[in-house]
Amino acid sequence: MFTGIIETTGKVAAISPRGTNLSFWISSPISDELTIDQSVSHNGVCLTVEAVEPGRHLVTAIEETLKKTELGNWQPGTEVNLERCMLMNGRLDGHIVQGHVDCTALCTARKELAGSWEFSFQFPTEFARLVIEKGSIAVNGTSLTCFNVTHDHFTIAVIPYTYEHTNIHQLTVGSRVNIEFDILGKYVQRQFEVRSEA
C-alpha cells in the first residue's frame, strides 16, 4: 500500500530477460536502505526487492505486468519514480495507492504556465466511470488530481516541487504513463455492477 507521494527517483542501471519476464537493477538514493522481499512502487508498479547491492536493488516484472504497464519500454538510464510502502503511524498525504496499475495513458498535451505545468492524457474509454472531476489518480505512482475530465481524457496540474522531484518533468507529448484509478471508485462501480446483475 502506498500514498502516491514519491520519495525519490532512481535510474535503470541494467536490464536482463528471464524467460518472459524482465529483471531491472535500479540505482537510487534509497537502495541501500531496502531489504529483500520489501515492496516498492516503481512508476506506480508494486515490485518486490529481490537483491540489494551498494547503491542499487533488483526487481522483476512478470509478463502480465509488462503487458499492462510501460515497464517494457524502460532502457538503461530511464528515470523511475520510487516510493516505499506506507507506514501506518503517519499522515496519508496523497491517496490510497495499491501499486496495481490498471492501464497506460498517452500524454496528448503539455503546457507550461507561470509557475506550474499542465499535462493532458488519453486513457481507454472502458475506465471512463473511474475518472471524475477533482478526483484522485496515480500517474506513474504520483498522487494527482484530475480536471477537464471527458470520456477518454483528463488533465493534471503539477506544482514545481512535484515537477522537479519526480520523473514528470521528462514527459512529452507521446509519452506513455502508468495509471492506477482510485480504489474507492472501483468498489463503488463494482457495487453498482453487482446490483444490476441481481
Side-chain angles (χ1 to χ4, degrees):
M1 194 80 69
F2 307 94
T3 67
I5 304 300
I6 303 303
E7 281 189 74
T8 188
T9 60
K11 288 196 174 179
V12 177
I15 304 172
S16 56
R18 290 186 182 177
T20 58
N21 306 332
L22 286 177
S23 291
F24 304 95
W25 280 103
I26 308 293
S27 300
S28 82
I30 64 171
S31 292
D32 290 338
E33 302 173 32
L34 302 179
T35 58
I36 293 172
D37 284 338
Q38 187 171 358
S39 295
V40 179
S41 171
H42 295 70
N43 269 11
V45 181
C46 180
L47 298 174
T48 301
V49 175
E50 299 177 355
V52 177
E53 293 182 353
R56 66 180 196 165
H57 64 277
L58 179 70
V59 292
T60 296
I62 63 173
E63 183 179 14
E64 179 69 8
T65 301
L66 296 172
K67 287 179 180 176
K68 288 190 174 179
T69 69
E70 48 75 61
L71 272 64
N73 296 326
W74 286 3
Q75 301 292 329
T78 296
E79 187 175 16
V80 180
N81 290 334
L82 298 174
E83 181 193 354
R84 286 174 282 190
C85 55
M86 65 186 285
L87 297 171
M88 297 303 288
N89 62 349
R91 293 182 176 89
L92 178 60
D93 291 316
H95 72 283
I96 296 173
V97 179
Q98 294 183 292
H100 303 159
V101 169
D102 294 297
C103 65
T104 61
L106 186 70
C107 181
T108 57
R110 170 185 168 135
K111 184 189 299 183
E112 185 170 353
L113 306 174
S116 66
W117 292 260
E118 287 184 2
F119 295 86
S120 295
F121 298 94
Q122 182 178 29
F123 63 92
T125 55
E126 65 195 86
F127 297 105
R129 283 184 275 183
L130 295 175
V131 187
I132 63 170
E133 193 75 15
K134 300 297 188 289
S136 295
I137 197 163
V139 177
N140 275 355
T142 307
S143 177
L144 295 161
T145 302
C146 302
F147 62 96
N148 291 344
V149 174
T150 71
H151 69 288
D152 67 348
H153 273 83
F154 66 87
T155 299
I156 56 168
V158 178
I159 63 173
Y161 184 89
T162 304
Y163 185 84
E164 293 164 8
H165 290 85
T166 70
N167 64 8
I168 287 178
H169 61 267
Q170 292 190 332
L171 298 182
T172 59
V173 173
S175 294
R176 195 158 284 279
V177 297
N178 295 323
I179 298 294
E180 181 184 332
F181 301 104
D182 190 355
I183 185 64
L184 299 178
K186 293 177 191 175
Y187 278 116
V188 170
Q189 179 181 339
R190 179 61 179 157
Q191 290 219 357
F192 279 113
E193 289 173 351
V194 170
R195 285 179 184 174
S196 66
E197 292 168 1

